[in-house]
Amino acid sequence: MDRKIVLLGPPGSGKGTQTERLCADLKLTKISTGDLLREAVRNNTPLGVKAKGFMDAGKLVPNELVVDLVKDKIQSVKGGVILDGFPRSLEQAEMLDKFSKVDLAIDIEVNENNLVRRLTLRRTCRSCNAVYHLEFNPPKHGGKCDKCGGELFQRTDDTEKTVRERLKVYKEQTLPLTAFYHRKGILRKVDGEGDIGVVYDRVLKAIGSK
Ligand code: AMP
C-alpha cells in the first residue's frame, strides 16, 4: 500500500497506538513528529534544545523546527506512510500539500473527559516508543516494555496541567484541520471510544482494509 495517511485526533485519542498496529499489519512507515522531537531532545541536538521548552509547556513547536524534519523523512521513505502528529495546524497542512500528497485523513474522536485520564496514566517506552496505559493496556512486566524490554516512563508533558494546555492548543489549532480535509473529500471519522482492538477494526474499515 503506497498511501500517505494522516492520523488526526486530540492528544490521547490513540493515534500512537493505532499507528503502531497499522504499521505492523499493513507495512506502512510511521512518521511521528512527537517521537522525532523527543529523540532530538534526548540527544540534546540544537533542534532538541530549542524544542524542549515548547513541548514541556504543551505548546506547538515552531514550524521552522518541525516542517523540514518531516519533509526530509517523507522524502527518504519508500512506500506507504502514516503521519502521526503532523500536520497540527492549517499552516502545516498547507505546507505539507506543497511537498507531499495526502490520500486519507483519519480523525479519531474521543470524549474530552476521557482524554485527561488516558494521558495522565500513559507510559511510553524509552527505547521503541511503544505506548501503554496503566489501566487499559498495562505492560505485562511492571515498568518494562513488552516488545523490547525498554524502560517505561511518564512523558514530561503527560502531567495534568500540561495535558489541559495541549487539549486547548488542539482545539484552537488542530481541530480546524478536520474541516480542511473534509473539504478535500478525504476525511474519515472514527469513534475512538472503547477497547483498542475495537477501535483498530474501525480504523481498518475507514482505511478500506477490512
Ligand atoms: P505528540 O507526541 O504528538 O503528542 O507531540 C508531543 C509534543 O511535540 C507536542 O505537544 C508539541 O509540543 C510537539 N509537536 C509534535 N508534533 C508537532 C507538530 N506537528 N507541530 C508542532 N509541534 C509538534
Side-chain angles (χ1 to χ4, degrees), residues 33-34 37-38 55 59 61 85-86 88 92 155 157 166:
T33 39
L37 289 167
R38 276 184 291 279
M55 295 170 78
K59 311 269 188 210
V61 169
F86 187 92
R88 230 142 143 159
Q92 288 185 1
R155 279 171 44 175
D157 59 351
R166 287 163 65 200

Side-chain angles (χ1 to χ4, degrees), residues 39-92:
E39 193 186 331
V41 171
R42 224 174 14 249
N43 294 334
N44 235 346
T45 66
L47 176 93
V49 171
K50 287 190 200 139
K52 186 176 183 331
F54 296 97
M55 295 170 78
D56 285 347
K59 311 269 188 210
L60 292 190
V61 169
N63 286 341
E64 61 269 25
L65 299 182
V66 176
V67 176
D68 284 347
L69 205 64
V70 177
K71 193 175 174 181
D72 290 350
K73 197 85 187 171
I74 285 192
Q75 288 171 347
S76 72
V77 168
K78 291 206 174 61
V81 164
I82 299 195
L83 284 169
D84 165 12
F86 187 92
R88 230 142 143 159
S89 63
L90 278 175
E91 214 183 344
Q92 288 185 1

Side-chain angles (χ1 to χ4, degrees), residues 137-158:
N137 178 30
K140 295 194 180 74
H141 311 289
K144 298 266 181 259
C145 175
D146 294 351
K147 297 183 182 104
C148 76
E151 181 204 357
L152 302 184
F153 77 111
Q154 182 177 34
R155 279 171 44 175
T156 48
D157 59 351
D158 277 346

Side-chain angles (χ1 to χ4, degrees), residues 8-123:
L8 297 171
S13 56
K15 298 188 297 294
T17 304
Q18 298 298 333
T19 299
E20 269 177 45
R21 292 200 175 192
L22 289 169
C23 288
D25 292 346
L26 305 180
K27 306 280 175 277
L28 299 165
T29 301
K30 165 174 87 162
I31 300 181
S32 156
T33 39
D35 286 354
L36 292 171
L37 289 167
R38 276 184 291 279
E39 193 186 331
V41 171
R42 224 174 14 249
N43 294 334
N44 235 346
T45 66
L47 176 93
V49 171
K50 287 190 200 139
K52 186 176 183 331
F54 296 97
M55 295 170 78
D56 285 347
K59 311 269 188 210
L60 292 190
V61 169
N63 286 341
E64 61 269 25
L65 299 182
V66 176
V67 176
D68 284 347
L69 205 64
V70 177
K71 193 175 174 181
D72 290 350
K73 197 85 187 171
I74 285 192
Q75 288 171 347
S76 72
V77 168
K78 291 206 174 61
V81 164
I82 299 195
L83 284 169
D84 165 12
F86 187 92
R88 230 142 143 159
S89 63
L90 278 175
E91 214 183 344
Q92 288 185 1
E94 282 158 4
M95 288 171 157
L96 174 63
D97 273 352
K98 294 200 179 102
F99 61 81
S100 177
K101 66 180 178 127
V102 173
D103 300 287
L104 195 63
I106 309 273
D107 181 29
I108 306 183
E109 298 180 301
V110 174
N111 178 301
E112 184 168 341
N113 293 331
N114 294 336
L115 293 172
V116 176
R117 187 173 167 72
R118 284 191 183 192
L119 287 165
T120 51
L121 290 179
R122 173 160 80 173
R123 296 295 179 269

